Amino acid sequence: MRAALYARVSTNGHGQDPEVQLRELREYCQRRSWIVASEYIDAGISGTREKRPELDRLLTDAHRRRFDAVIVWKFDRFARSVSHLLRALETFKVQGIEFVSLSEQVDTSTPMGKCVFTVLGAVAELERSLIVERVKAGLRNARAKGIKLGRPRRALDASRISALRAQGVGWRAIAKQMGVGVGTLYRATPCRSKIREKVFGTQ
């Protein structure tokens, strides 16, 4: 089994050394007679940062099947959130790559590890459902208070539109110049029936 080791520390120095994590990961591989194919180390990278050079490289190598398992010291060293962890695990699952977290004692190559993965997926799904429900409740509350939702309407200068028309500028050109759609220009201008005929006619 070829293993990829991933370690991350938030700051360089100050008692944080990725070697502490890597030592345990290497010992784990030795106990299981796994070959360490690659080591990926993000030093001085905050756990909240979306872009991590070495983690991105690991995920790229996963797609290339350069290893058979990913081993980390702890979930929070690897993923920003439960949803981020699950996306990565889904990627590994598709690629046939196992995932091991030493501290949480999770190993997706074992029945118990697969069970934990299923539970995490259910928790993430529940989290998504709760977020959607909170958003819907917030919208209902806003409507009940008479708050208008959606984009605010743009106020267009009718005199400017008239001046441009007097210069012979077409309706589509005016809409583009004012940064609005033709329909918005139509709705915001008097004498709409004539404008509609012009807009959707020859000009």
Side-chain angles (χ1 to χ4, degrees), residues 3-164:
L5 313 185
Y6 179 78
R8 180 187 64 80
V9 291
S10 300
T11 59
N12 286 314
H14 304 288
Q16 294 197 26
D17 185 355
E19 192 61 30
V20 174
Q21 301 173 34
L22 291 169
R23 189 181 301 112
E24 292 192 31
L25 301 182
R26 294 182 194 120
E27 289 174 357
Y28 177 86
C29 288
Q30 189 174 14
R31 288 195 300 272
R32 298 196 65 174
S33 299
W34 288 2
I35 299 170
V36 176
S38 301
E39 294 184 357
Y40 303 82
I41 306 165
D42 278 318
I45 304 290
S46 170
T48 59
R49 283 184 59 178
E50 187 165 347
K51 289 294 181 183
R52 303 185 204 165
E54 286 297 279
L55 179 57
D56 292 342
R57 188 167 70 89
L58 182 150
L59 294 174
T60 298
D61 287 349
H63 284 287
R64 295 170 179 167
R65 286 306 313 273
R66 291 185 172 174
F67 42 76
D68 307 301
V70 173
I71 310 176
V72 302
W73 185 62
K74 199 173 182 180
F75 281 154
D76 64 2
R77 298 294 91 190
F78 178 78
R80 298 186 307 276
S81 61
V82 172
S83 58
H84 179 221
L85 173 65
L86 282 170
R87 285 196 302 271
L89 292 183
E90 286 289 356
T91 298
F92 296 153
K93 184 178 180 181
V94 170
Q95 301 297 329
I97 295 172
E98 304 298 347
F99 179 83
V100 177
S101 176
L102 292 189
S103 297
E104 286 85 6
Q105 296 184 347
V106 171
D107 181 349
T108 59
S109 67
T110 66
M112 182 58 71
K114 289 181 172 63
C115 177
V116 171
F117 176 73
T118 302
V119 171
L120 285 173
V123 170
E125 183 63 32
L126 174 61
E127 182 183 39
R128 285 192 292 269
S129 299
L130 291 174
I131 290 172
V132 170
E133 185 54 40
R134 283 197 294 269
V135 170
K136 289 181 178 178
L139 293 174
R140 289 195 299 268
N141 185 49
R143 291 192 188 99
K145 292 180 178 180
I147 299 173
K148 290 185 178 180
L149 304 173
R151 292 183 179 180
R153 290 190 174 184
R154 293 190 61 173
L156 299 179
D157 188 345
S159 61
R160 184 185 173 194
I161 296 172
S162 299
L164 290 171

